[in-house]
Amino acid sequence: MPTLALSVSELEAGSWVMFELPGFTTAASGTAQDSLDALRNAGATSYYKGNGSLWVKVVSTGDILGSGPGKGPGAGDSLQVSR
């Protein structure tokens, strides 16, 4: 798979998820960090490339799925990565 879309929804604002993606090299958005420690401390969606992996931290803005007729998912937080 040359690309992968990552997304989070229904998380409280400021909550985050971090992924290690071996073999992936590029994130389409987010802020580049210069170390894994800097990535852990980042307060916004970010990425770090090192040791043969792309590390991605997706931080929630608190957008949640809509409810009721005609309501779709909220914007959520997403990021696309590629090999």
Side-chain angles (χ1 to χ4, degrees):
M1 174 181 309
T3 63
L4 177 66
L6 303 171
S7 63
V8 296
S9 61
E10 299 192 44
L11 293 176
E12 291 183 23
S15 296
W16 54 270
V17 186
M18 197 155 88
F19 301 93
E20 178 185 11
L21 304 165
F24 283 80
T25 59
T26 306
S29 60
T31 303
Q33 300 295 331
D34 59 4
S35 71
L36 193 51
D37 199 39
L39 181 65
R40 286 186 187 106
N41 292 315
T45 297
S46 301
Y47 62 91
Y48 165 70
K49 184 175 183 254
N51 298 326
S53 292
L54 181 68
W55 293 79
V56 176
K57 181 177 182 179
V58 182
V59 180
S60 176
T61 60
D63 292 337
I64 60 170
L65 294 174
S67 61
K71 300 254 181 174
D77 300 293
S78 63
L79 170 66
Q80 186 169 4
V81 295
S82 57
R83 291 190 184 269

